[in-house]
Amino acid sequence: MNAVKALSTSQWFCWKEAVVITLVGWVPLSLGRSLRGLIYRSIFAQFGNAVQIKSGVELIHTSGITIGNKVKIDRGVSLRNEGQNSIIRLGNSVKLDLGVIIKTHSNSEIEIGDCTYIGPYTCLSGKYIKIGKDCRIASHLGIYANNHTFIDPNRKIKEQGSTYKGIVIEDDCWLASGVRIVDGVTVGQGSVIGAGAVVTKDVPPYSIAVGVPAKVIKSRKPSEQAITSIPEDVATNDNPLSVSLSRSLAEVERTSQQKLQYPSPKDSAIAVTLQNLLYKLLECTGKAMNVTTVTVLLRTEDQQHLEVCASVGLEDEIAAGIKIPFGRGFAGRVAVNCQPMIVEDISTIEIFSPILRNKGLRSILGVPLQINGQVVGVFHVGTTLPRQFTSDEIKLIRLMANCIAFLVTRAEITLANVSQASEGLYWWSNLACLLNPLWQHHCNSFTHGKYA
């Protein structure tokens, strides 16, 4: 009897919801917004003050939807609360722009925090999604908190069910246009995700991540981007290139020692530190050599292409996800020939990436990154003015390439194998001590013109 009564109540509410939406959901302009602001209160689980819902909004099972104060919902938005025992929560001052789709699964919870903006044609779907306060979510994003199971090749994928882990985007994040967030990911507070990135792993707080798959390239925290004091036993001269590297190596050594005392396999601080070190090397190289761009390309998993992993001046190549085939373009030829290459006028050669020409580069110098005789990438610098690179500059770039090759290779090994994390951290601590005197010697020689 109770089941029959509950069914009857549910059916009555569905009819009521359908009638209310049919009567006032289409009414345009301010009249429609005013009517919906009054009448929709009777069908939503919670309906705040000063809510604005434009015409043409699709609403399903509003009894499981709560809306805070001053929420704005644009035309073409779909709030599809289709899952049983599911709820959609919109905090105060949330804005859903044109064509946003929010869809729940069974026993789902999707929550959007106060003062968060969701851009046009973004889709949120899954069992658990939580977006924090003050977030900026741009257009055409896909945030999917579910995944298909496809283990058994003898069964259709649709018959194997799905997995659900959940997605969390913490407060004050900015996700640029076209980003994809896969199930099981947490984007830390204050982080920025570049356009077109595919986020497959957790992003630490206050990070900048770009690419496919997304990789953290920088920290937004000033304390993680610069060292305010230099130990006396680390920097012994005022050469800007030497001092900058010395600061970075000191930071790696200090972080390594901290992690050895308090190890945590899930802690990403060492990863951020290694990435920061790489970018500091590029920045100080660019300043010391007075070049426009400094770029590191690494081999892809298929071993047949190069892609930019870090750059100062050519960051657009990271966002574009350009992959350069071996033997093609400038970087591809450097990788195949395994020799330094200088081009004084790049208009005379094939350039695979159009971004180099769009940047206005004129001259370029590149060297291979090698470990045990194997090419793992390419390191190159470029200028917008014609330049004749000297033999001293080639030697300095090759020294830099050796440092970078060791850095990226050991970083991949350390971060890929958690069980060897302690060994990797000891390696970094020792490397910091070994590289400083060698680096200072070569920088001094370069500054005073002592290369043979």
Side-chain angles (χ1 to χ4, degrees), residues 217-228:
I217 62 170
K218 190 178 291 187
S219 172
R220 294 181 59 215
K221 285 187 176 181
S223 60
E224 293 182 1
Q225 293 182 15
I227 303 299
T228 56

Side-chain angles (χ1 to χ4, degrees), residues 186-254:
T186 295
V187 178
Q189 180 175 354
S191 291
V192 175
I193 311 297
V198 178
V199 184
T200 60
K201 298 180 180 179
D202 290 353
V203 176
Y206 298 99
S207 298
I208 300 174
V210 299
V212 180
K215 296 181 180 179
V216 176
I217 62 170
K218 190 178 291 187
S219 172
R220 294 181 59 215
K221 285 187 176 181
S223 60
E224 293 182 1
Q225 293 182 15
I227 303 299
T228 56
S229 60
I230 309 172
E232 292 182 1
D233 60 339
V234 174
T236 58
N237 60 69
D238 58 357
N239 179 279
L241 204 52
S242 175
V243 170
S244 182
L245 181 64
S246 298
R247 289 174 182 236
S248 303
L249 292 172
E251 181 179 3
V252 171
E253 185 176 6
R254 181 167 59 253

Side-chain angles (χ1 to χ4, degrees), residues 4-26:
V4 173
K5 184 177 180 180
L7 180 62
S8 177
T9 302
S10 176
Q11 288 178 336
W12 161 245
F13 186 87
C14 288
W15 279 100
K16 178 181 178 182
E17 178 185 81
V19 169
V20 168
I21 294 172
T22 301
L23 289 176
V24 300
W26 63 272

Side-chain angles (χ1 to χ4, degrees), residues 95-113:
K95 181 176 180 181
L96 305 181
D97 215 325
L98 186 69
V100 170
I101 297 175
I102 300 177
K103 179 182 177 181
T104 62
H105 295 224
S106 178
N107 299 305
S108 300
E109 180 180 348
I110 297 179
E111 179 179 349
I112 300 175

